Amino acid sequence: MSESSMLEIFEEKIKREIKIEPREWMPDAYRKTLVRQISQHAHSEIVGMLPEANWIKRAPTMRRKVALLAKVQDEAGHGLYLYSAAETLGTSRKTMIDDLLSGKAKYSSIFNYPTITWADIGAVGWLVDGAAIMNQVMLCRTSYGPYARAMVRICKEESFHQRQGYEIMLTLAQGSQEQKAMAQDALNRWWWPSLMMFGPSDKESKHSAQSMAWKIKRKSNDELRQNFVDATVPQARLIGLSIPDPDLKWNEERGAYDFGDIDWEEFWNVVKGNGPCNKQRLDDRNKAHEEGHWVREAALAFAEKQAKRKAKKDKVA
Amino acid sequence: MLSYTTYDPLTEYVLRCADNNLILGHRISEWCGHGPVLEQDIALTNMALDLLGQSRMYLKYAAELIGHNETEDSLAFLRDAMQFRNSLLVEQPNGDFAHTIIRSLIFDSFHYFFTEQLMQSNDKRLADIATKSLKEITYHRKFSSEWTIRLGDGTEESNKRMQTAIDDLWRYKGELLSPDELDMEMLEKGIGVDLNKIEPLVDNHLSDMLNRATLQIPQAEFMQKGGKQGLHSEHLGYILAELQFMQRAYPGLNW
Ligand SMILES: [Fe+2]
Ligand SMILES: [Fe+2]
């Protein structure tokens, strides 16, 4: 079959909302875009474990400790599903991880901010998982089958994380003066970076249009960002916290909130590697990887020995 | 000897169980996000979750026995080192993955047979907790045993690291299995576990695993002890500094 007729079949499937599956023909650029996006997404889950793991040992109650530990573990699971989904496109997990460790591959910049107080654990769950959900709910309908199916599993857990984070904030907001201040401070620091999670505005976004055409994405960055603001502002009000944006205002006509300008200079600066924790996060991942080297090597050597022993035994039998 | 007087004997005994689980769970949770492979990161976190979950059941029981306003949280976050009753083994640092695995191998071997016996306790609550925990502990023992064999019989480097870990940690095995006054008292009352009875079972399992892992059982006979009576190593204070930070810095609040 000629490439043009294969392309036709592919486009027809996209049009008719039939999922693209691993063995089927797809344009190279579609494959590349997916590998980039899914592996970036996987890396975000893994690097995202670090700022939250930072508080596991110091969680204030046994209940919170166990919930946080389970949450961070969920994120590791998400990383696994996503690496597996990306591998169906013909790129190995090892290659993807090497790209993360060398700094070649990106991950969500939000994880380059520090978790300084316990309230940050609430804010991250509420805002960061909340923003992730906006994106991921949309991705449950993405055109690539394995990615869409991974997302369905992940979304259920993310919304649980979001509620858990919000509940931490609620508890703080109802607490002592110190606790309220802690919660407000965390919201102040995480609000704008959370809005940046949706990526550059539609005018600036270089991958957006093609991704929409392929139905990898179904909503633009700005649309998702607006959805997030509209969902989150009332939640903040409900618990008596204020959003750190003097320009935030309900727009009756649009039926949505108007909000202030995002500091894109800060965004690009963090993307480039200059966020407060970029170096620390990458160093931590590299350290874990290097220190795990002998373990992985030994596991492999042992598996080989076992296989040989088994072959020998089978021969005798 | 530091006192049994802080709590009554049954509470002391329950706290030993609670604190072993709490401190080891805390230690293993340090791996979360830093494991050698993603799959192992998840498995280690699972174990930390199990141990912390078991610790909560014991802590709640201890809190009820003590009464007043004691809770699982006040026991976990407001006792000082000399009131902790965990064995020295579980507070040892994670070290490399070999040390973590060997620490778990020794503890899990003990924990498995201990809990199996505790299921027969005539203290119904302890028997219940033990019964609920055994399945998880069975899995822990399988995990640490398999990794001991894999790493012992892996490469030259992994073998060396594992041997070092055993040589370092073996000295903390004795405390788990040698009965003190409280162990005897609890045994007599039909509440506690007969450590003399489980010792050969634990030793058998350990030597079987170490043999299969091509590792040597250390010859040194001297065993460190004191943890279960409240005499700890220097490590525990630092564990508590992190574990208890929030409750110490912001006393008496809801979280
Ligand atoms: Fe996630
Ligand atoms: Fe999440």
Side-chain angles (χ1 to χ4, degrees):
Chain A
M1 214 187 293
S2 73
E3 180 145 339
S4 65
S5 52
M6 290 193 289
L7 182 62
E8 223 168 89
I9 297 171
F10 172 82
E11 281 173 347
E12 183 63 17
K13 278 191 192 144
I14 298 280
K15 204 171 109 196
R16 292 175 48 212
E17 301 285 337
I18 298 169
K19 295 270 181 267
I20 308 300
E21 296 299 334
R23 284 153 197 270
E24 298 168 8
W25 186 90
M26 62 189 84
D28 270 355
Y30 177 81
R31 185 186 300 274
K32 257 195 193 145
T33 302
L34 278 170
V35 170
R36 182 177 47 79
Q37 184 175 330
I38 303 173
S39 63
Q40 240 175 56
H41 193 161
H43 299 330
S44 302
E45 302 282 357
I46 301 308
V47 178
M49 294 168 74
L50 296 171
E52 292 190 278
N54 183 40
W55 276 91
I56 289 169
K57 286 191 281 177
R58 291 176 293 168
T61 67
M62 291 300 287
R63 180 172 84 92
R64 293 290 186 208
K65 183 190 279 296
V66 168
L68 178 59
L69 193 52
K71 192 238 187 217
V72 180
Q73 188 191 36
D74 284 348
E75 308 299 0
H78 299 171
L80 266 190
Y81 303 158
L82 286 162
Y83 283 126
S84 303
E87 279 189 310
T88 63
L89 292 156
T91 306
S92 71
R93 203 212 291 187
K94 183 178 178 309
T95 309
M96 294 184 266
I97 289 179
D98 286 347
D99 285 349
L100 169 68
L101 297 175
S102 71
K104 188 177 154 203
K106 296 285 173 224
Y107 55 86
S108 179
S109 276
I110 192 79
F111 301 118
N112 291 318
Y113 291 87
T115 50
I116 305 166
T117 71
W118 169 252
D120 290 29
I121 296 306
V124 168
W126 174 34
L127 301 173
V128 176
D129 287 76
I133 291 166
M134 291 291 163
N135 201 24
Q136 291 173 353
V137 165
M138 165 190 83
L139 289 172
C140 291
R141 290 166 53 239
T142 195
S143 57
Y144 186 58
Y147 193 20
R149 289 189 288 272
M151 275 305 135
V152 172
R153 295 174 74 175
I154 290 175
C155 272
K156 280 185 207 146
E157 292 178 352
E158 296 296 9
S159 63
F160 183 70
H161 297 167
Q162 193 266 352
R163 282 202 301 274
Q164 197 169 280
Y166 185 60
E167 203 252 323
I168 291 176
M169 291 302 258
L170 168 72
T171 309
L172 294 174
Q174 290 173 340
S176 70
Q177 279 312 317
E178 285 164 310
Q179 286 174 307
K180 277 180 206 161
M182 198 187 274
Q184 184 61 53
D185 167 66
L187 173 56
N188 293 349
R189 284 181 289 108
W190 288 93
W191 175 252
W192 291 105
S194 298
L195 295 193
M196 294 176 199
M197 279 176 73
F198 297 96
S201 78
D202 298 345
K203 294 168 290 197
E204 312 284 329
S205 180
K206 58 176 176 178
H207 303 295
S208 262
Q210 182 60 74
S211 283
M212 300 276 274
W214 279 330
K215 295 185 182 167
I216 294 175
K217 289 185 71 159
R218 288 166 183 272
K219 286 180 175 185
S220 74
N221 293 354
D222 287 334
E223 252 179 297
L224 288 167
R225 188 165 14 242
Q226 183 71 57
N227 292 161
F228 175 72
V229 172
D230 294 342
T232 310
V233 171
Q235 293 170 358
R237 301 235 160 111
L238 193 66
I239 57 176
L241 295 177
S242 48
I243 304 282
D245 178 0
D247 298 323
L248 186 79
K249 210 171 74 223
W250 177 251
N251 183 325
E252 197 63 56
E253 219 170 282
R254 289 201 305 127
Y257 283 97
D258 291 336
F259 53 94
D261 291 333
I262 289 170
D263 180 356
W264 292 112
E265 208 173 302
E266 174 180 332
F267 173 77
W268 289 114
N269 199 30
V270 180
V271 171
K272 270 183 225 145
N274 300 325
C277 299
N278 293 61
K279 179 169 161 27
Q280 182 189 339
R281 301 288 183 243
L282 220 49
D283 285 353
D284 278 359
R285 284 314 317 157
N286 273 292
K287 183 165 176 276
H289 191 74
E290 278 157 28
E291 288 177 356
H293 178 75
W294 69 270
V295 179
R296 296 189 298 275
E297 204 178 58
L300 215 66
F302 179 76
E304 275 165 19
K305 280 187 204 174
Q306 286 291 87
K308 266 189 209 150
R309 279 174 201 146
K310 188 169 179 296
K312 209 168 163 189
K313 215 166 143 194
D314 288 352
K315 215 170 159 189
V316 174
Chain B
M1 186 77 25
L2 272 153
S3 57
Y4 289 151
T5 54
T6 323
Y7 307 109
D8 70 86
L10 176 59
T11 309
E12 282 282 334
Y13 200 72
V14 176
L15 283 174
R16 288 183 180 185
C17 300
D19 292 345
N20 273 336
N21 285 297
L22 174 59
I23 300 301
L24 187 59
H26 179 94
R27 274 296 191 213
I28 295 180
S29 80
E30 292 175 27
W31 277 102
C32 183
H34 308 271
V37 194
L38 199 43
E39 283 82 350
Q40 273 17 282
D41 201 304
I42 293 173
L44 286 169
T45 303
N46 250 338
M47 283 192 286
L49 279 166
D50 290 344
L51 291 167
L52 292 172
Q54 290 170 25
S55 142
R56 293 182 70 186
M57 293 192 277
Y58 287 116
L59 284 173
K60 281 177 189 161
Y61 184 30
E64 285 169 33
L65 289 171
I66 298 166
H68 309 293
N69 295 318
E70 212 71 70
T71 63
E72 58 165 339
D73 286 333
S74 65
L75 286 173
F77 299 107
L78 298 174
R79 280 180 298 155
D80 201 352
M82 65 280 194
Q83 292 166 302
F84 270 77
R85 295 294 183 257
N86 59 282
S87 57
L88 296 172
L89 176 71
V90 297
E91 67 198 42
Q92 299 309 306
N94 285 344
D96 61 0
F97 194 61
H99 280 78
T100 292
I101 290 296
I102 290 295
R103 187 185 57 198
S104 276
L105 177 77
I106 297 171
F107 183 74
D108 298 346
S109 307
F110 155 77
H111 202 198
Y112 175 81
F113 292 109
F114 179 88
T115 309
E116 197 183 44
Q117 291 298 311
L118 194 62
M119 285 164 58
Q120 314 301 321
S121 171
N122 64 23
D123 183 285
K124 177 139 183 337
R125 185 78 171 267
L126 279 178
D128 276 354
I129 298 174
T131 305
K132 278 189 196 137
S133 310
L134 192 71
K135 203 173 142 201
E136 291 172 352
I137 298 166
T138 306
Y139 172 77
H140 301 174
R141 194 180 64 149
K142 183 167 180 285
F143 180 89
S144 55
S145 299
E146 284 175 359
W147 275 97
T148 297
I149 295 170
R150 187 173 290 128
L151 295 176
D153 191 16
T155 61
E156 205 177 305
E157 183 187 358
S158 70
N159 178 275
K160 217 171 125 201
R161 283 176 181 267
M162 290 295 277
Q163 190 61 55
T164 306
I166 297 175
D167 295 345
D168 288 350
L169 293 168
W170 195 254
R171 73 199 69 200
Y172 301 112
K173 178 181 77 83
E175 179 183 22
L176 299 168
L177 294 163
S178 43
D180 67 356
E181 263 171 75
L182 179 66
D183 288 313
M184 306 297 260
E185 186 185 340
M186 287 296 112
L187 178 61
E188 262 160 45
K189 288 184 175 157
I191 296 170
V193 170
D194 186 349
L195 295 180
N196 290 326
K197 185 171 150 192
I198 67 167
E199 185 175 20
L201 302 171
V202 174
D203 281 342
N204 258 339
H205 179 76
L206 284 172
S207 59
D208 187 19
M209 292 308 123
L210 295 177
N211 274 331
R212 286 167 65 183
T214 68
L215 295 164
Q216 310 302 316
I217 295 173
Q219 291 310 305
E221 289 297 317
F222 191 81
M223 292 290 175
Q224 296 291 337
K225 56 179 196 286
K228 58 187 185 181
Q229 294 92 20
L231 259 171
H232 292 277
S233 66
E234 291 177 351
H235 302 296
L236 186 65
Y238 293 93
I239 292 177
L240 299 186
E242 291 190 305
L243 176 72
Q244 302 182 336
F245 164 68
M246 290 295 290
Q247 293 285 351
R248 300 288 186 185
Y250 304 95
L253 301 178
N254 274 328
W255 299 96

